[in-house]
């Protein structure tokens, strides 16, 4: 929301990275992009896979594409299963490529980190995303890819189903 941005005045939003086409992720994206354009007086790129095209998408991205925004290097990973166009975004701060992440960087007032994965609906705490358009083999390949990332990568899923996932796991 726009009120969230008031807490981070030094940041300027230039890109919105969408993980997939479901309404809980794209909602009123066109209105948000317009508000951001008005706030910062610049175009805001709304990115997603062309397989998950939706109204408001301004730039389609593909697997292994690198997006550079200032000192951030963002690698796009296609992770089809939840939707065939599902994506994860691996973000690295190029000023700190050789510095390990430190868990103390995550605080209630905001998080800073040197590398992280925005995992969309592919990976959750205690579980993975629902197989809406894909199958188990696809999800396993996605989780294997995530497991190959640096071990200090912070992972930020799109939803918090932690209690639900762990409650389910304790019952099997």
């Amino acid at each position: 929301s726009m009120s969230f941005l008031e807490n981070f005045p030094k940041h300027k939003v230039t890109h919105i990275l969408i993980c997939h086409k479901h309404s809980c992720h794209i909602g009123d994206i066109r209105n948000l992009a317009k508000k951001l354009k008005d706030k910062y007086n610049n175009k805001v790129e709304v990115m997603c896979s062309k397989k998950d095209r939706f109204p408001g998408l301004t730039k389609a991205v593909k697997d292994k594409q690198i997006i550079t925004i200032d000192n951030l290097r963002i690698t796009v990973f296609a992770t089809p299963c939840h939707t065939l166009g599902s994506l994860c975004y691996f973000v690295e701060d190029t000023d700190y490529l050789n510095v390990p992440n430190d868990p103390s960087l995550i605080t209630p007032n905001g998080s800073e980190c040197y590398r992280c994965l925005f995992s969309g609906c592919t990976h959750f705490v205690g579980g993975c995303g629902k197989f809406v358009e894909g199958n188990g083999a696809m999800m396993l390949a996605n989780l294997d890819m995530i497991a190959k990332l640096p071990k200090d990568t912070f992972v930020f899923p799109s939803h918090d189903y932690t209690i639900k996932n762990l409650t389910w796991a304790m019952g099997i």
Side-chain angles (χ1 to χ4, degrees):
S1 87
M2 296 300 288
S3 60
F4 171 82
L5 295 173
E6 302 305 323
N7 295 323
F8 299 94
K10 71 178 184 169
H11 297 294
K12 179 178 177 181
V13 178
T14 58
H15 297 72
I16 300 173
L17 308 174
I18 302 293
C19 59
H20 66 275
K21 64 187 174 189
H22 289 161
S23 62
C24 57
H25 297 273
I26 62 172
D28 195 13
I29 198 74
R30 287 186 288 185
N31 187 43
L32 176 61
K34 182 188 178 315
K35 285 182 177 181
L36 290 168
K37 179 184 178 201
D38 293 346
K39 178 177 177 64
Y40 298 117
N41 197 30
N42 68 285
K43 180 180 179 188
V44 174
E45 291 283 2
V46 178
M47 302 177 157
C48 191
S49 167
K50 72 178 179 179
K51 292 179 182 177
D52 272 5
R53 188 169 300 282
F54 57 88
L57 176 67
T58 62
K59 185 171 185 179
V61 293
K62 60 186 180 201
D63 189 41
K64 308 262 186 330
Q65 182 174 338
I66 304 292
I67 302 162
T68 303
I69 305 169
D70 297 328
N71 60 317
L72 299 179
R73 179 174 60 205
I74 304 165
T75 305
V76 178
F77 289 111
T79 52
C81 186
H82 187 64
T83 69
L84 294 180
S86 289
L87 301 172
C88 290
Y89 298 96
F90 179 59
V91 182
E92 299 171 281
D93 185 330
T94 57
D95 292 338
Y96 296 93
L97 290 175
N98 296 316
V99 178
N101 268 334
D102 179 346
S104 69
L105 296 171
I106 304 294
T107 70
N109 298 322
S111 300
E112 296 289 335
C113 63
Y114 307 131
R115 73 200 50 76
C116 66
L117 179 75
F118 291 97
S119 63
C121 288
T122 298
H123 179 278
F124 297 119
V125 176
C128 64
K130 190 179 214 178
F131 304 178
V132 177
E133 297 178 3
N135 58 48
M138 295 166 95
M139 184 59 76
L140 180 58
N142 296 334
L143 296 176
D144 285 345
M145 179 278 301
I146 291 171
K148 292 177 185 171
L149 294 175
K151 297 302 177 206
D152 66 338
T153 299
F154 293 167
V155 179
F156 299 104
S158 292
H159 305 282
D160 183 5
Y161 299 139
T162 306
I163 293 173
K164 184 177 174 183
N165 287 344
L166 295 178
T167 300
W168 176 83
M170 289 171 52
I172 59 171

